Amino acid sequence: MPPKALVTTPKDLLLQAYDYDLPEDLIAQDPLEKRDQSRMMVLQDHHMPIHQHIWDIMDYLKPEDCLVINKSRVIPARLHGKVPGQETLIEVLLIRQLAEKTWRCLAKPGRKLKLGHTIVFAPDLLEAEVVGIEEDGSRLLTFAYEGIWEEVLSQLGEMPLPPYIHHKLEDPDRYQTVYANRDGSVAAPTAGLHFTQDLLAAIQAKGTAIAGVYLHVGIGTFRPVKEDHILDHQMHSEVYEVSTETADLINTRKKAGGRIICVGTTSCRTVESLADPQTGLIKPAVGETDLYIYPGYQFKIMDGLLTNFHLPESSLLMLVSAFYGREAMLAAYQEAVQERYRFYSLGDCMLILPELS
């Protein structure tokens, strides 16, 4: 069974309790030359952290386990254009597709975009009309283009890197996992960036199953928690899909006593959204989840988690704190700073196994 819900304190529900100091030079700006060179901190049963590398994950996986990966692919969701008659360059970030040609978008500067405005991204190739303005300031854009949408977007769009990465990647594919095969995310499920095809093959050769789910990462990734009391935070919903084959594979391993180890918080939120609280088994489904995991949450199916190091005061730091304990997690982060791990999307990772078995 997954770890029991940890004892929480009133402080665990305060935003300021998830702050920590991080030297700016530890924020990774580029991926390592090779994906599988990343360092991996292992947190196991609240023993002292062990400092290893991603290839050492083989030592912690058992033949009966199941590794759950998110196979969503990042789209080049950032576009630049102008409103005819205006000189200001408009940056548009696609957030979510609402209809065949209509998307909810973030725009910067948004005040320049009024209802009915047209944005020209490339003359005679791609433009969009502002057809709606949401309460949160996002814009609804209906696109007009020549050709195939995916090809146009590939030609004109840029990878939507997080704001703490200050330059474009030389190789945009390094912001994709090697197993991503379905477009839909506006940010990478970054824990999966550490895997190579060779490492995945070695894991399967050991007998460990690899189950692929989809959760298309949305705008919540870019938005920090702002409420002083974390219960007041509202998660944005994201689209997921788990096939019958995948659900059967996960359930078979779970019933046989194997551990369900999620690669990334997106895989975690997907299986936890679909898990039965009584049986710990999941059902196949296509839908949306706004599951918000913070200390006090009772995990239903996940037994282990591979994840990157997250931003201070973020919902993702709250998720890992729910799994391992806030104070223990912040202590591990402090040690990661001392040991000069690389932080955030392009940085190193940690393997969290709360209970030895």
Side-chain angles (χ1 to χ4, degrees):
M1 293 294 292
K4 295 181 180 179
L6 300 171
V7 175
T8 60
T9 68
K11 187 175 182 180
D12 290 330
L13 301 180
L14 299 178
L15 179 62
Q16 63 185 16
Y18 296 89
D19 195 12
Y20 66 90
D21 293 324
L22 179 68
E24 190 170 348
D25 65 331
L26 294 185
I27 300 174
Q29 295 295 308
D30 292 286
L32 295 175
E33 183 178 349
K34 296 182 179 180
R35 292 176 185 265
D36 60 2
Q37 297 298 307
S38 299
R39 297 170 70 195
M40 180 179 72
M41 174 185 283
V42 181
L43 303 179
Q44 197 170 27
D45 197 33
H46 292 86
H47 290 200
M48 292 295 293
I50 303 171
H51 304 295
Q52 301 202 286
H53 289 82
I54 185 61
W55 60 74
D56 295 310
I57 195 172
M58 297 290 297
D59 295 336
Y60 297 92
L61 297 176
K62 302 177 181 180
E64 61 269 25
D65 291 341
C66 182
L67 204 64
V68 182
I69 60 176
N70 181 7
K71 300 175 74 173
S72 181
R73 182 174 173 83
V74 186
I75 62 173
R78 182 167 279 125
L79 294 162
H80 295 91
K82 288 185 177 181
V83 175
Q86 296 183 8
E87 290 301 317
T88 304
L89 189 66
I90 303 292
E91 179 179 283
V92 168
L93 178 65
L94 305 177
I95 298 175
R96 185 167 182 177
Q97 190 170 14
L98 304 177
E100 182 181 358
K101 295 186 177 182
T102 301
W103 288 72
R104 179 178 288 115
C105 305
L106 289 183
K108 188 170 66 175
R111 66 183 184 278
K112 295 286 186 178
L113 286 184
K114 310 298 183 184
L115 201 63
H117 273 175
T118 295
I119 313 169
V120 177
F121 301 100
D124 301 321
L125 182 58
L126 180 64
E127 63 182 43
E129 179 185 355
V130 181
V131 297
I133 300 177
E134 304 285 86
E135 289 185 6
D136 63 359
S138 60
R139 267 50 177 176
L140 305 184
L141 302 183
T142 296
F143 289 86
Y145 50 89
E146 294 293 332
I148 300 172
W149 167 249
E150 289 78 12
E151 294 179 357
V152 173
L153 196 60
S154 178
Q155 180 179 341
L156 298 178
E158 298 175 358
M159 278 295 177
L161 296 175
Y164 49 77
I165 297 176
H166 302 307
H167 59 261
K168 296 179 183 178
L169 298 184
E170 291 185 9
D171 180 5
D173 281 343
R174 291 303 305 274
Y175 196 57
Q176 302 279 14
T177 62
V178 298
Y179 45 73
N181 63 5
R182 185 181 301 173
D183 287 352
S185 287
V186 298
T190 54
L193 296 178
H194 308 287
F195 288 90
T196 63
Q197 295 291 3
D198 286 346
L199 180 54
L200 292 168
I203 290 170
Q204 289 181 303
K206 185 171 185 175
T208 303
I210 298 178
V213 302
Y214 294 95
L215 185 130
H216 298 309
V217 186
I219 189 56
T221 295
F222 293 94
R223 289 188 166 163
V225 177
K226 296 182 178 179
E227 294 77 8
D228 292 337
H229 198 281
I230 67 172
L231 294 183
D232 295 330
H233 177 64
Q234 180 63 48
M235 291 285 286
H236 285 73
S237 64
E238 295 167 312
V239 175
Y240 64 76
E241 180 177 346
V242 176
S243 68
T244 300
E245 180 182 10
T246 293
D248 288 346
L249 176 57
I250 293 172
N251 291 338
T252 297
R253 290 300 174 109
K254 188 71 175 179
K255 287 187 285 188
R259 298 172 301 172
I260 306 304
I261 299 174
C262 293
V263 176
T265 57
T266 60
S267 299
C268 163
R269 291 179 62 241
T270 301
V271 298
E272 286 293 321
S273 295
L274 293 174
D276 184 289
Q278 302 302 319
T279 65
L281 303 179
I282 70 169
K283 58 183 179 181
V286 177
E288 298 182 20
T289 181
D290 60 358
L291 179 62
Y292 180 23
I293 297 177
Y294 51 84
Y297 178 83
Q298 174 64 66
F299 288 87
K300 306 178 188 71
I301 186 169
M302 185 175 76
D303 303 291
L305 176 67
L306 181 81
T307 185
N308 282 20
F309 294 91
H310 302 296
L311 277 71
E313 299 184 342
S314 65
S315 63
L316 303 182
L317 182 53
M318 294 165 195
L319 186 155
V320 296
S321 296
F323 195 53
Y324 198 68
R326 181 183 59 82
E327 292 186 357
M329 183 55 62
L330 289 177
Y333 269 52
Q334 183 176 5
E335 178 153 345
V337 170
Q338 294 172 349
E339 296 291 329
R340 299 195 61 79
Y341 277 72
R342 302 165 72 249
F343 275 66
Y344 302 167
S345 292
L346 301 178
D348 296 315
C349 59
M350 56 167 54
L351 177 64
I352 311 171
L353 299 170
E355 296 183 358
L356 288 171
S357 58

